[in-house]
Amino acid sequence: MKAVVVVALNNYQVKIGLASCSIAAGAQQTYNEFAKKLADIDNTEITLQPTGCLGMCFCEPIVEVNTSTGQRYLYGNVSADDVDKIINEHLLQDQPVADLLIYAPNVHPEMNNYFDKQVRIALKNCGVINPEDIDSYIQAGGYRGLKKAVKSSPEKVIEELKEAGLRGRGGAGFPTHLKWSLTRQAEGELKYIVCNADEGDPGAFMDRSILESDPHSVIEGMLLAAYAIGAKQGYIYCRAEYPLAIKRLKMAISQAKSRQLLGEAILGSDFNFNIAIREGAGAFVCGEETALLMSIEGKRGMPRFRPPYPAEKGLFNFPTSINNVETLANVPRIISDGAASFNKYGTEKSRGTKVFALAGKIKRGGLVEIPMGMTIDELIFDIGGGISTGKAFKAIQTGGPSGGCIPAELKDTPVDYESLNKIGAIMGSGGLLVMDEDTCMVDVAQYFLSFARSESCGKCSFCRIGTEKMLGILTRISHGQGTLADLTKIQELGEMIKAGSMCGLGQTAPNPVLTTIKYFYDEYLSHIKDKICPAKKCKALITYTIVADQCKGCGLCKASCPANAISGERRQAHEIDSEVCVRCGLCLSSCKFNAITIVSKPKDTDSSMEVAQ
């Protein structure tokens, strides 16, 4: 096709995020359509660039249009069918498409808090640069920290991190400079750097987004860590379920080697360092650092007894520093821009920023980065936009299966290591689940404990047997067959499991149960004493019924029922057989006349479902 010569009114750069989340939403088709249409336009004033994840999962696919004067326009939920409109009206006539805009100068001011209250350090390049182009990373200041470091000394690199106050972003918050210093001082012919990218928390995708959107930042962070401790070999342990992250990491490693930024005689110095990728099979326990080392060594991923700690005897029994993705992504920015650029944010003991994956009943789900010390209220309502269902905010779960449930009454709690620990929760790696008033906290505790039980490696009896026993008690309670003695017993078990388990999985597995009992005790009492689930979620304690006066006999509920529990003639009121009903909720979602209701108490609690003893 012959190109059409068109002159745009401005110089435009069009960016389209191509990370896993946006590709799943259709961004690849949108990008291909832009590429096809712009190829037919002979105009060098419009450029198209693929990027990574901007974090705004709630409105993917996103198209960003930037002008040469610095104006920024964000279009959300852009399908391939919308491309012509954006090109013809905005790019060629300088008329932004109002019905697709989600953010622009003086447009949608409610989005100002979303951007203004975030501070992007680890996510600085995510959704900004082309993750498959090393030059894009370098133009954004990439590898400047490495160049600065090799002209300095390893001790100064560690001292810079100490001054910055960077703590491990994998959950425990151990000071990064101290981990590096201990590994540097340890005796060993070889030393290793390991990047823990085994992101296993349900709902967490911080590491994946950084690896897909800014892989060179992690590589540079590993280079700086290796230079600081004296390592010549590094490993990135990434779960195989992240194929795009692994693909872009491999590309980044190859590109860095071609520029003498990785391999032998880095930047012409005597510093040598190589990186290899190891793909994990998805075992949650391999997120624990010693189990991860076992997996890299080709053994079954099971925790080791400590001490000795990995800094002394780690991978192949040599001193090893293990850091997670977000921690390493922060390091180049600290070394490049100085410690003060990082520690001006946060609190006295929790410096800098933290990345969170917002999920659950929240309007603006996705990835955000906030200064430490921001309150839960600001995070959920100012940045997250509030509760998506329009119902009352009930609680958040931080730290995944290892974390705790924080009630809405504590929404003024600052988000930092000390404040969260004080109320029984943990920072964790950054997963944050938002719940509304329709959430059953007994059900939430049961879900996370079931996950921890299933992922236990089984090495120690406290975790292997203790979580099984706790889950049995929770199941009885959720079926209305629990007793007050069960509440005492489950708390005692939880404390014993925390004290006796050998690794972080077992030591934190009881947290969701213990915090829900602490903050939602009345909800447990309702299940035990009244035999009802206030949130109407526990299947054994609810019954679906059809209100005859409202039922039109359309048959949609009957057609959607997988158990054939609904009977009735067309245009006549239908009925649900509660003995056959599996309480899946499909009838409720299919009914267009609000004729189906949930009753909180079943007819026969004791025989409603089989309960694990």
Side-chain angles (χ1 to χ4, degrees):
M1 182 182 291
K2 186 176 180 180
V4 178
V5 179
V6 181
V7 178
L9 299 178
N10 282 300
N11 291 324
Y12 289 109
Q13 182 183 46
V14 180
K15 296 181 178 181
I16 301 176
L18 294 179
S20 291
C21 51
S22 49
I23 291 173
Q28 188 65 63
Q29 292 88 333
T30 301
Y31 181 87
N32 293 343
E33 189 68 13
F34 262 103
K36 176 184 175 183
K37 298 293 184 181
L38 292 178
D40 293 336
I41 300 175
D42 186 13
N43 191 328
T44 58
E45 296 176 329
I46 302 175
T47 59
L48 178 64
Q49 175 185 309
T51 66
C53 177
L54 193 60
M56 304 172 70
C57 300
F58 60 93
C59 57
E60 296 280 9
I62 294 172
V63 173
E64 179 174 345
V65 176
N66 294 323
T67 71
S68 57
T69 58
Q71 288 182 311
R72 184 188 192 198
Y73 299 86
L74 289 177
Y75 293 103
N77 303 303
V78 181
S79 70
D81 296 335
D82 298 317
V83 171
D84 273 336
K85 195 170 186 180
I86 293 175
I87 291 176
N88 294 331
E89 295 184 21
H90 193 165
L91 303 185
L92 300 181
Q93 299 182 45
D94 200 28
Q95 296 294 323
V97 183
D99 58 331
L100 293 175
L101 273 176
I102 57 173
Y103 182 76
N106 303 317
V107 177
H108 299 301
E110 71 276 7
M111 287 293 292
N112 289 341
N113 279 335
Y114 180 84
F115 293 102
D116 296 344
K117 290 206 169 188
Q118 289 192 59
V119 176
R120 293 168 72 92
I121 298 177
L123 301 181
K124 172 189 172 187
N125 293 331
C126 296
V128 177
I129 67 170
N130 182 348
E132 298 185 1
D133 182 6
I134 190 173
D135 288 323
S136 185
Y137 179 70
I138 291 173
Q139 289 168 10
Y143 292 110
R144 191 169 60 194
L146 177 63
K147 293 175 182 177
K148 181 179 176 181
V150 295
K151 295 177 182 178
S152 180
S153 67
E155 291 79 9
K156 287 187 177 179
V157 172
I158 294 174
E159 185 60 32
E160 194 77 34
L161 283 189
K162 181 179 180 180
E163 186 179 340
L166 177 65
R167 296 169 64 175
R169 296 305 194 242
F174 191 80
T176 305
H177 79 274
L178 184 55
K179 181 178 286 190
W180 288 11
S181 181
L182 291 171
T183 312
R184 178 171 179 77
Q185 294 168 15
E187 295 182 2
E189 181 183 350
L190 297 173
K191 294 180 180 178
Y192 293 99
I193 285 291
V194 174
C195 171
N196 183 350
D198 189 61
E199 188 172 48
D201 288 0
F205 49 95
M206 300 76 61
D207 293 354
R208 174 181 60 77
S209 293
I210 293 174
L211 293 174
E212 290 179 352
S213 306
D214 192 15
H216 283 282
S217 68
V218 178
I219 291 172
E220 186 178 2
M222 293 183 71
L223 279 159
L224 289 163
Y227 181 74
I229 73 168
K232 294 184 179 180
Q233 179 64 50
Y235 291 92
I236 300 175
Y237 188 88
C238 182
R239 52 183 42 231
E241 294 97 320
Y242 288 175
L244 184 59
I246 292 170
K247 171 192 170 185
R248 288 178 176 170
L249 277 171
K250 289 179 177 178
M251 292 177 65
I253 289 171
S254 176
Q255 292 170 355
K257 285 182 177 178
S258 70
R259 300 294 181 91
Q260 208 179 354
L261 295 165
L262 193 62
E264 306 299 313
I266 294 170
L267 292 173
S269 69
D270 58 358
F271 173 40
N272 306 320
F273 182 66
N274 283 288
I275 295 175
I277 297 174
R278 294 291 182 267
E279 297 182 31
F284 180 69
V285 73
C286 285
E288 197 277 335
E289 59 182 18
T290 61
L292 182 151
L293 295 179
M294 293 280 280
S295 183
I296 293 178
E297 292 173 358
K299 304 170 186 174
R300 181 182 177 187
M302 299 178 75
R304 299 172 179 171
F305 286 103
R306 298 180 296 178
Y309 292 91
E312 182 183 355
K313 285 189 177 181
L315 191 61
F316 306 114
N317 281 324
F318 289 105
T320 304
S321 178
I322 307 168
N323 302 101
N324 90 318
V325 170
E326 185 184 341
T327 307
L328 291 168
N330 275 300
V331 172
R333 279 89 199 204
I334 292 172
I335 302 302
S336 174
D337 302 331
S341 66
F342 182 83
N343 64 25
K344 67 181 179 181
Y345 302 106
T347 65
E348 182 180 353
K349 294 182 179 179
S350 298
R351 299 289 189 180
T353 60
K354 181 72 189 78
V355 178
F356 284 97
L358 301 182
K361 305 293 183 64
I362 191 162
K363 289 181 180 177
R364 300 174 191 151
L367 211 61
V368 300
E369 185 171 2
I370 64 167
M372 292 275 203
M374 176 180 286
T375 65
I376 293 171
D377 184 67
E378 289 178 282
L379 176 57
I380 301 303
F381 291 94
D382 292 349
I383 295 179
I387 308 304
S388 58
T389 61
K391 297 189 175 182
F393 169 44
K394 184 171 185 176
I396 64 167
Q397 164 80 5
T398 64
S402 303
C405 293
I406 304 171
E409 292 74 25
L410 297 178
K411 64 182 181 179
D412 292 329
T413 302
V415 179
D416 60 60
Y417 292 103
E418 288 70 33
S419 298
L420 293 180
N421 288 343
K422 187 176 180 181
I423 60 175
I426 64 170
M427 181 78 70
S429 58
L432 196 151
L433 178 66
V434 181
M435 294 167 273
D436 69 3
E437 61 185 317
D438 286 344
T439 305
C440 172
M441 303 312 294
V442 176
D443 184 57
V444 168
Q446 188 175 6
Y447 167 78
F448 281 112
L449 186 62
S450 176
F451 179 87
R453 186 276 311 262
S454 299
E455 293 293 335
S456 172
C457 75
K459 188 170 184 176
C460 61
S461 58
F462 279 96
C463 181
R464 182 183 69 251
I465 301 173
T467 54
E468 180 72 28
K469 293 298 182 182
M470 286 186 73
L471 185 60
I473 296 173
L474 268 185
T475 304
R476 288 202 300 273
I477 293 173
S478 70
H479 284 69
Q481 298 176 2
T483 65
L484 291 177
D486 282 334
L487 277 183
T488 302
K489 185 183 294 184
I490 201 171
Q491 291 179 83
E492 291 174 349
L493 272 172
E495 294 300 337
M496 286 190 286
I497 293 168
K498 289 178 69 173
S501 296
M502 66 173 291
C503 87
L505 189 154
Q507 292 163 6
T508 58
N511 284 349
V513 180
L514 297 178
T515 53
T516 50
I517 292 176
K518 178 180 179 180
Y519 294 118
F520 301 95
Y521 189 76
D522 289 345
E523 202 159 324
Y524 278 86
L525 289 183
S526 294
H527 285 73
I528 293 170
K529 298 177 69 175
D530 303 325
K531 311 299 182 185
I532 65 171
C533 174
K536 301 179 182 179
K537 293 297 179 184
C538 294
K539 291 184 179 181
L541 299 180
I542 59 175
T543 300
Y544 285 80
T545 61
I546 295 177
V547 181
D549 292 344
Q550 293 178 225
C551 179
K552 306 299 180 183
C554 67
L556 287 176
C557 61
K558 184 177 180 180
S560 68
C561 180
N564 295 320
I566 301 178
S567 61
E569 299 297 324
R570 192 163 182 81
R571 295 191 178 86
Q572 293 181 12
H574 286 34
E575 291 183 349
I576 299 176
D577 185 340
S578 62
E579 297 298 322
V580 180
C581 176
V582 294
R583 301 163 178 83
C584 64
L586 290 176
C587 60
L588 186 68
S589 59
S590 65
C591 181
K592 297 181 179 180
F593 304 102
N594 297 320
I596 298 177
T597 62
I598 302 176
V599 179
S600 298
K601 194 172 182 178
K603 294 178 181 178
D604 183 0
T605 300
D606 292 333
S607 62
S608 58
M609 289 186 182
E610 184 179 348
V611 181
Q613 297 299 320

